[in-house]
Amino acid sequence: MNKIALLFVALAVSISAPAYAHDIDLDGDTAPNAMGGQMCTGPHMVVTPSRPQTPQDVERARDVIDTLRRTLTRYHDSRVALSEGYQIFLPTVPQEVYHFSDYSAAQQEYIGHSDLTRPGSILYVKNPSGEYVLVGAMYSAPADYTPDQLDAIIPLSVAHWHAHTNICLPNGITLDDVLRGEMGASNLDIPGMLPASSPSAPAINQRLGFLADGRFGFTGKIADAAECEAAGGHLLKQAFGWMVHVYPFSDDLKVAYGMSVPKPPPN
């Protein structure tokens, strides 16, 4: 797997002929298969179980928060992140949380070299004005890491590491393509693309590609290999490795290491 394929993002996201209608509002601005602010277990995600909390765990968790607060200070302006090599994952796809990812840092995380001062992804939300507002960061780890190895980075008693599983992608689309933001917009033969006869097709295909199709992707309806193949796709048993979000601007550990994106600070 090359460097691009080693990255996460939180991944990600995965219309008017009846065969293409998959719970999407053609006049809306959200993708039904976009990564939301609430991460839940199910066929597409597994999370680490909680462990009994110790004072040492709490101290380590607060040390991570303190480290991230210092690290992220200069990234309140998202342009600084871009100038330092971070890239927006799927910038044209509406999402509740946007991952600005450093491919080099992510590669190091996926070979087991964690650096809390250089997270693989920085997390932003958009405010009503469309500006990016900093909320946190994401760390990653190799897919074959044991719970003890994950616990050594971020304690399992305060955080839930997660992994994306059973992901159906249309044939003609690879994980590398998704990471590069190539959603098949120029290829209407890819399953899930809107037929050209639809008045809304050009704009939606350009912005979302196959991700507007609720069958495919990281929250798609398909999680079975045979069903995926029948739909014209291929199933990834696991995409990327382990990931954990940290929202360090809250003093409440349940929020800082929670599964939901908190509201950004007022300033």
Side-chain angles (χ1 to χ4, degrees), residues 40-54:
C40 303
T41 58
H44 293 304
M45 181 176 289
V46 295
V47 301
T48 54
S50 295
R51 290 184 171 183
Q53 193 171 101
T54 68

Side-chain angles (χ1 to χ4, degrees), residues 69-77 80-81 84 117-118:
R69 285 178 177 175
R70 294 192 299 269
T71 295
L72 296 179
T73 296
R74 63 184 182 276
Y75 298 126
H76 280 283
D77 185 340
V80 175
E84 294 188 7
T117 66
R118 185 68 178 183

Side-chain angles (χ1 to χ4, degrees), residues 104-231:
S104 297
Q107 181 185 29
Q108 290 300 306
E109 291 177 341
Y110 277 102
I111 61 176
H113 298 161
S114 295
D115 181 357
L116 296 179
T117 66
R118 185 68 178 183
S121 294
I122 302 174
L123 306 177
Y124 293 86
V125 300
K126 280 188 176 181
N127 64 18
S129 300
E131 301 167 320
Y132 288 108
V133 180
L134 177 70
V135 292
M138 185 182 81
Y139 297 111
S140 300
D144 61 354
Y145 257 29
T146 65
D148 285 343
Q149 288 174 303
L150 296 175
D151 182 82
I153 305 172
I154 305 288
L156 300 187
S157 64
V158 299
H160 292 286
W161 288 79
H162 65 275
H164 297 279
T165 57
N166 301 314
I167 310 302
C168 182
L169 296 180
N171 290 333
I173 295 290
T174 69
L175 199 57
D176 283 7
D177 293 330
V178 176
L179 290 171
R180 289 193 297 265
E182 297 176 8
M183 302 298 160
S186 61
N187 187 354
L188 295 180
D189 293 332
I190 292 177
M193 300 295 290
L194 275 173
S197 58
S198 168
S200 304
I204 294 177
N205 286 340
Q206 187 65 39
R207 188 171 79 246
L208 303 179
F210 78 91
L211 297 180
D213 189 325
R215 296 175 298 169
F216 299 103
F218 289 80
T219 59
K221 295 179 179 179
I222 299 177
D224 173 77
E227 186 178 356
C228 182
E229 182 177 356

